[in-house]
């Protein structure tokens, strides 16, 4: 008997995923382009399960049971195509390739189609949870044909994180659906982290608290509705002292945020779909602005801010409430985007399933996801989470604090792009009639772009140069 599954690409994520598979009793073949990593894995962890190390892709493929199940854990982009190209001649019809990296969903769609033409299955699979998750239970989002998922379902659901006995892995939909929702997960992760960073900024440069004090605040917040991996991790990072200087580590880390692309892709796709995901997009912009250190340093010396001021009473609690309300908006937007993408590409993605499998294993895991799961149970077709009773009440309860925090931020000159954009979205969303009538009027004036009326059916144009006479433009 051969191995039930193989993993090629043994950097930390691949290595940990292979160990996770082996620890659950599934015989696993392992392969890496440079042999030293394979050797190292076997030397260090070979006794954790039934590993079959392979030095060549030929041996690797030959050691697998059929249909062959191969997880590719290499860098997104060209390296995935390179591995696929090498593997394809060695495979037979019905074999299954599983790309577990952060691939762009359009690449996944292309690969799935090309491989299907050769009788091979492709599962573009989002895997979230970082190194620790890969080893001890990630959240897994496979996308591809039913025929490809069925033979790997048992392994994937077994190695995934489990919450209340439910695995954090489920078949998301066909072709690029799995990688799309992983991309959106990361976009939401960007928004979550930006909101946390803004809260930290308000408490430090606004309220003058130290990093250890803010660490304690986050620890307390983690006892309530905000309870999540990222809030808990924030408390850990803020509470950490730099060994070399004795200062809080966060104070010696350079303030330039890097990014690998998934947040940007989320924003790009949202723009194409016409879905306003302002919190995620502001988070991407904030990282870009942070990276302009040289320009910011120049500007800091010449651009004046407000005269100064203080934070109001109860500010810390208000920031917590503002963070929660903004987070609701960020998730409402992200889930709306995934629904729009699902409609656009005909994926039939179930948002309730996403909320369920994101409750554990992944980076955005949170108590909050239970609330989202419940909202979709109450109303599977819910168009926007803000319209759910629980979230409506949560935001209504937080809105005074939310407005106070944004006002204070403006007065103090502390930038809160994600807090502010979320609040603006909320106010825009709850308006039955907004100012777009004027935009339509302007468009009609300078470009005869026409408009519709509130009181009559049809399409109209005003002859602006002829005393504003109106004609039907049908
Ligand atoms: C996860 C993470 C993981 C990775 C991000 C980081 O779900 O496990 O999201 O995929 O940490 O890709 O992305 P940036 O480097 O762009 O912040």
């Amino acid at each position: 008997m051969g191995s039930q599954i193989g993993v090629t690409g043994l950097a930390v994520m691949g290595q940990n995923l292979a160990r996770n598979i082996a620890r659950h009793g599934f015989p696993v073949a392992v392969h890496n382009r440079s042999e030293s990593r394979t050797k190292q894995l076997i030397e260090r962890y070979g006794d954790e399960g039934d590993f079959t190390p392979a030095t060549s892709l030929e041996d690797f493929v030959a050691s697998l049971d059929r249909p062959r199940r191969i997880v590719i854990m290499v860098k997104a982009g060209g390296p995935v195509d390179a591995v696929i190209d090498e593997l394809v001649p060695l495979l037979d019809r019905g074999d299954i390739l599983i790309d577990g990296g952060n691939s762009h969903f359009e690449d996944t769609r292309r690969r799935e189609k090309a491989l299907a033409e050769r009788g091979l299955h492709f599962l573009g699979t989002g895997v979230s949870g970082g190194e620790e998750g890969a080893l001890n239970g990630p959240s897994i989002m496979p996308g591809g044909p039913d025929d490809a998922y069925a033979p790997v379902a048992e392994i994937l659901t077994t190695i995934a994180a489990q919450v209340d006995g439910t695995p954090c892995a489920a078949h998301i939909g066909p072709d690029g659906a799995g990688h799309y929702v992983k991309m959106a997960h990361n976009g939401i992760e960007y928004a979550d982290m930006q909101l946390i960073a803004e809260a930290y900024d308000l408490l430090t440069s606004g309220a003058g608290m130290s990093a250890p004090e803010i660490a304690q605040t986050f620890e307390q917040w983690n006892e309530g509705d905000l309870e999540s991996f990222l809030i808990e991790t924030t408390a850990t990072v803020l509470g950490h002292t730099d060994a070399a200087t004795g200062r809080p580590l966060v104070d010696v880390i350079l303030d330039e945020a890097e990014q690998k692309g998934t947040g940007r892709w989320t924003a790009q796709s949202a723009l194409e779909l016409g879905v306003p995901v302002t919190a995620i997009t502001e988070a991407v912009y904030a990282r870009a602005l942070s990276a302009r250190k040289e320009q910011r340093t120049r500007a800091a010396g010449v651009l004046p801010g407000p005269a100064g001021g203080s934070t109001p009473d109860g500010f810390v609690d208000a920031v917590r409430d503002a963070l929660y309300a903004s987070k609701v908006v960020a998730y409402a937007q992200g889930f709306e985007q995934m629904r729009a993408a699902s409609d656009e590409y005909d994926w039939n993605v179930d948002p309730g399933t996403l909320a369920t499998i994101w409750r554990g294993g992944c980076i955005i895991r949170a108590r909050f996801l239970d609330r989202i799961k419940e909202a979709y149970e109450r109303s599977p077709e819910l168009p926007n989470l803000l319209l759910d009773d629980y979230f409506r009440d949560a935001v209504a309860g937080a809105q005074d604090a939310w407005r106070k925090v944004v006002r204070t931020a403006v007065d103090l000159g502390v930038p809160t792009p994600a807090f502010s954009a979320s609040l603006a979205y909320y106010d825009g969303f709850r308006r039955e009639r907004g100012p777009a009538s004027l935009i339509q009027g302007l468009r009609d004036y300078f470009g005869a772009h026409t408009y519709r009326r509130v009181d009559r059916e049809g399409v109209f144009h005003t002859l602006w140069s002829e005393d504003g006479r109106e004609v039907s433009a049908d």
Side-chain angles (χ1 to χ4, degrees):
M1 224 177 67
S3 296
Q4 280 188 39
I5 191 163
V7 178
T8 178
L10 299 177
V12 188
M13 284 296 285
Q15 190 172 124
N16 283 0
L17 208 63
R19 290 173 60 200
N20 183 355
I21 294 169
R23 284 175 175 192
H24 280 94
F26 300 104
V28 57
V30 285
H31 169 266
N32 192 63
R33 187 172 292 274
S34 70
E35 211 187 314
S36 56
R37 276 188 196 276
T38 318
K39 274 198 179 135
Q40 199 187 60
L41 169 63
I42 300 302
E43 273 163 25
R44 290 194 188 156
Y45 309 111
D47 58 359
E48 289 184 355
D50 183 350
F51 292 100
T52 301
T55 50
S56 69
L57 268 186
E58 286 78 5
D59 290 350
F60 173 68
V61 169
S63 72
L64 295 168
D65 284 347
R66 289 166 195 241
R68 301 184 184 95
R69 287 160 274 212
I70 298 175
V71 185
I72 301 170
M73 294 299 291
V74 300
K75 208 165 170 296
V80 176
D81 287 313
V83 172
I84 292 174
D85 288 348
E86 277 184 67
L87 278 169
V88 165
L90 309 173
L91 301 178
D92 294 308
R93 294 183 77 80
D95 287 347
I96 303 155
L97 293 178
I98 303 152
D99 172 16
N102 275 331
S103 293
H104 193 286
F105 74 99
E106 290 287 14
D107 284 338
T108 301
R109 303 183 75 204
R110 165 177 61 77
R111 290 170 185 143
E112 206 260 323
K113 207 162 158 249
L115 289 167
E117 279 165 16
R118 311 183 69 144
L120 297 170
H121 290 314
F122 188 68
L123 281 177
T125 302
V127 179
S128 178
E131 298 170 10
E132 206 268 338
L135 183 61
N136 296 318
S139 178
I140 308 179
M141 298 147 247
D146 292 344
D147 289 354
Y149 179 67
V152 295
E154 191 198 341
I155 298 178
L156 297 187
T157 51
T158 305
I159 66 163
Q162 314 285 320
V163 174
D164 302 335
T166 305
C168 294
H171 188 204
I172 304 298
D175 91 327
H179 273 143
Y180 192 93
V181 302
K182 175 56 169 57
M183 174 192 81
H185 161 284
N186 282 24
I188 293 171
E189 171 187 308
Y190 273 51
D192 255 342
M193 287 163 66
Q194 176 61 25
L195 292 169
I196 288 172
E198 290 176 18
Y200 158 67
D201 200 10
L202 286 162
L203 297 183
T204 179
S205 27
M209 290 165 68
S210 69
E213 282 169 346
I214 304 172
Q216 277 179 11
T217 302
F218 271 87
E219 247 171 56
Q220 284 158 14
W221 289 358
N222 200 42
E223 316 263 291
D225 286 338
L226 281 170
E227 182 194 324
S228 62
F229 170 73
L230 284 171
I231 295 284
E232 186 191 335
T233 306
T234 302
T236 306
V237 171
L238 288 175
H240 194 80
T241 305
D242 174 46
T245 59
R247 295 170 60 193
L249 178 68
V250 71
D251 292 348
V252 298
I253 296 179
L254 187 68
D255 56 337
E256 289 183 39
E258 296 176 16
Q259 47 183 317
K260 294 196 202 75
T262 43
R264 187 173 63 243
W265 297 344
T266 309
Q268 284 169 337
S269 168
L271 279 173
E272 270 164 33
L273 293 167
V275 182
V277 296
T278 56
I280 293 171
T281 307
E282 287 294 352
V284 178
Y285 288 150
R287 287 200 193 189
L289 186 58
S290 83
R292 302 184 157 200
K293 180 77 176 176
E294 221 178 285
Q295 282 194 50
R296 287 194 291 116
T297 305
R298 255 183 87 184
V302 293
L303 299 183
S310 58
T311 51
D313 287 346
F315 189 62
V316 174
D317 287 347
V319 172
R320 181 202 54 213
D321 291 353
L323 177 53
Y324 193 64
S326 303
K327 185 177 163 108
V328 171
V329 168
Y331 280 67
Q333 294 177 340
F335 272 78
E336 191 186 342
Q337 173 171 351
M338 288 186 285
R339 194 187 283 284
S342 174
D343 290 347
E344 172 74 18
Y345 300 107
D346 222 359
W347 287 335
N348 206 14
V349 172
D350 174 36
T353 301
L354 293 178
T356 304
I357 66 167
W358 287 350
R359 292 180 307 157
C362 65
I363 302 297
I364 65 169
R365 61 185 181 265
R367 182 195 284 199
F368 185 72
L369 266 313
D370 273 320
R371 305 285 91 83
I372 298 182
K373 174 177 174 282
E374 288 156 13
Y376 284 114
E377 274 163 10
R378 278 190 287 276
S379 170
E381 297 306 320
L382 189 68
N384 187 305
L385 282 173
L386 287 166
L387 297 175
D388 172 73
D389 288 354
Y390 167 80
F391 288 111
R392 185 200 57 205
D393 293 349
V395 172
Q399 76 158 316
D400 286 350
W402 198 10
R403 294 182 193 284
K404 182 158 78 177
V405 167
V406 171
R407 243 184 344 256
T408 306
V410 171
D411 285 347
L412 297 179
V414 176
T416 53
F419 274 39
S420 309
S422 300
L423 180 55
Y425 173 88
Y426 176 72
D427 282 334
F429 186 56
R430 66 183 186 80
R431 286 281 292 281
E432 193 187 340
R433 181 160 172 84
S437 50
L438 176 58
I439 292 173
Q440 286 295 78
L442 294 169
R443 291 176 71 245
D444 191 60
Y445 179 92
F446 61 67
H449 291 299
T450 75
Y451 52 84
R452 285 176 293 136
R453 299 179 54 102
V454 297
D455 54 357
R456 267 182 280 154
E457 287 295 315
V459 176
F460 299 89
H461 170 52
T462 295
L463 300 172
W464 297 94
S465 57
E466 294 178 29
D467 289 336
R469 210 159 52 79
E470 184 184 273
V471 293
S472 173
D474 280 335

